[in-house]
Amino acid sequence: MSEEILKKLAEAMYEGDSDLVETLTKEALDAGVAPGDIIEKGGVSALDRLGKDFSELVVFLPQLMLAGHAMNKLLQIVRPHLSEKEGASRGKIIIGTAKGDFHDIGKSLVATQLEVSGFEVIDIGTNVSTNEFIQKAEETGADIIAMSSLLTTSQYYMEDCIKRLNDEGKRGTYRVVVGGGPIRQNYAEKIGADGYARTAYGSVSLCKELMKKTPDTEFIAIDA
Amino acid sequence: MGNIVNALKTGRVMVSDGAWGTFLFSKGMSAGECPDAWSVERFDDVAGIARSYSEAGADMVETNSFGASRFKLAHYGLEDRVSEINEAAARASRKGAGDKYVIASIGPTGKMLVMSKDVTKEDFYDAFKEQAIALEKGGADAVCIETMNDIDEAVCAIRAAKENTELEIISTFTFDRNSRGEFWTMMGLPPAKAARESLAAGADIVGTNCGNGMERMIEIVREMKEACPDAFILVHANAGLPENIDGVDVFPETPEMMAAYVPELIGAGANIIGGCCGTTPAHIAAIKRAVEVHSDGIAW
């Protein structure tokens, strides 16, 4: 019974049908399905599949956005039923597009995927200076600083941010991840980031892995 | 000066220009500057880019107005200067292009209609209308609505230009090849539908720019031509697919490598051929020579 509901829920999530997701989520709670299972098996599994399919361009951006919306709906309903431990955030992430670059879509996509996967995400927008990244990270007590760039001319600021963290003795406080169209693994490694993922889908497993380690220890790359 | 479509009707294959962004950086623009504002502040440099392409043999040159909609200019607090900036962009290319056609660039707003509560199609239409009117005033012959992903946004731009100016309308989209070998924009738009719906909305010329090198553009042109056999098709191809060298993307194709695809691209149905990311006046000169060789024996 509960497997059946979760299967239907995952399907509705994949299709981005918010109304059906709402109905099935409530149904699952009423039937006594564990809140953690509703999130993982009903929501996250579908988003994983969707993220992977988008990275291969067999589904498209509108469907991904609809599913993100549906996932937020699911979380709204389920959250009050979570125990303190289950409801705990996986970690706090500051995300933004580097200075000189106003591209918003890719960065927002990563933010949404991280958020629906259980991270607390603070999106500080586009054209973000090194100062702003560091200041916001300090203000919020972030675990991870995530920087995006679609312009090769802005990727310099990723390097700049890491350098500043080093110079100010703060590098050990934050894990730093970078990504975006022209950003490659060897560049991320060269500038001393903690990690790199090629796609929004990959950024979720990257951040989960990094939360198991202390900042600035080993470099992790997710080529998916 | 006749119009572009009339020239194409004679069977002539025309050549367009190459990349602009990298050119601006080579002239000293720094990251974080508004590229479009250069048309006002560095008018002669911008006109110089148009001249470089015109002298390389392009039959038409674009303008430095890709990001000059009010939505994009707002990032720099310049949203009140849309008319001034677009008019200057068209004047700069007009000056540099000599007797060549000026096809004025209009890029996406960067906003998405899907799921967005803060923008409507009317907002898009108004922004594109404002831009197109200023480009016409500055002396453009056509608008080149480019790098589009979303058919609804492209249609807003096409209609805005059609209903408010006398400009000819070019509408081009950026496609990626997926794991199954099919071409789609990230919004889920395939080449055939992009061409069909652009023409239905009033575009005179359709096509594709960026995202792919010449080789893949051949496939995209075939798909558009199959769906719309009478359409005139423009291609602005990258200099190949970027290769990563020391963490930096480099476009690998030399002018000769790009030019080698010209006969097949024309065979597939392309009527206007130019470049996008990674291309230079040398690429355009090589494409021009290839087009001339291909068209040898036909007098223009």
Side-chain angles (χ1 to χ4, degrees), chain B residues 16-32:
Chain B
S16 185
D17 68 358
W20 277 71
T22 40
F23 228 128
L24 290 167
F25 284 110
S26 77
K27 287 182 182 281
M29 192 176 75
S30 51

Side-chain angles (χ1 to χ4, degrees), chain A residues 52-183:
Chain A
K52 188 168 180 299
D53 287 350
F54 178 68
S55 71
E56 291 174 7
L57 212 64
V58 291
V59 301
F60 305 103
L61 199 53
Q63 197 175 339
L64 211 58
M65 294 179 72
L66 287 170
H69 187 66
M71 185 68 190
N72 280 326
K73 188 136 254 177
L74 180 149
L75 288 172
Q76 262 172 33
I77 300 167
V78 175
R79 244 182 220 129
H81 299 271
L82 290 173
S83 68
E84 206 167 295
K85 185 166 166 284
E86 283 175 319
S89 153
R90 287 184 190 274
K92 196 179 277 185
I93 302 175
I94 289 285
I95 189 168
T97 307
K99 191 177 167 189
D101 191 340
F102 293 93
H103 289 96
D104 194 34
I105 295 171
K107 180 265 302 161
S108 299
L109 212 59
V110 173
T112 305
Q113 295 240 340
L114 289 168
E115 194 168 19
V116 297
S117 303
F119 286 94
E120 185 183 339
V121 180
I122 301 141
D123 185 343
I124 54 173
T126 62
N127 188 30
V128 178
S129 68
T130 299
N131 271 342
E132 285 173 275
F133 270 116
I134 296 175
Q135 194 189 331
K136 286 284 176 192
E138 287 182 331
E139 272 172 28
T140 56
D143 301 295
I144 298 176
I145 298 176
M147 291 183 281
S148 164
S149 176
L150 191 64
L151 301 176
T152 50
T153 45
S154 286
Q155 67 186 45
Y156 159 75
Y157 292 100
M158 298 175 164
E159 195 175 343
D160 184 52
C161 185
I162 293 170
K163 191 172 170 298
R164 277 277 302 282
L165 288 170
N166 273 321
D167 291 350
E168 295 174 14
K170 297 168 186 165
R171 183 68 184 87
T173 313
Y174 309 105
R175 299 153 188 87
V176 180
V177 298
V178 297
I183 309 302

Side-chain angles (χ1 to χ4, degrees), chain B residues 198-226:
Chain B
S198 292
L199 291 168
D204 301 295
I205 297 163
V206 294
T208 175
N209 74 292
C210 207
N212 297 284
M214 293 286 242
E215 192 177 9
R216 291 186 178 178
M217 292 306 198
I218 294 166
E219 294 177 54
I220 296 169
V221 169
R222 275 200 193 108
E223 285 186 35
M224 287 187 160
K225 198 73 186 171
E226 199 173 313

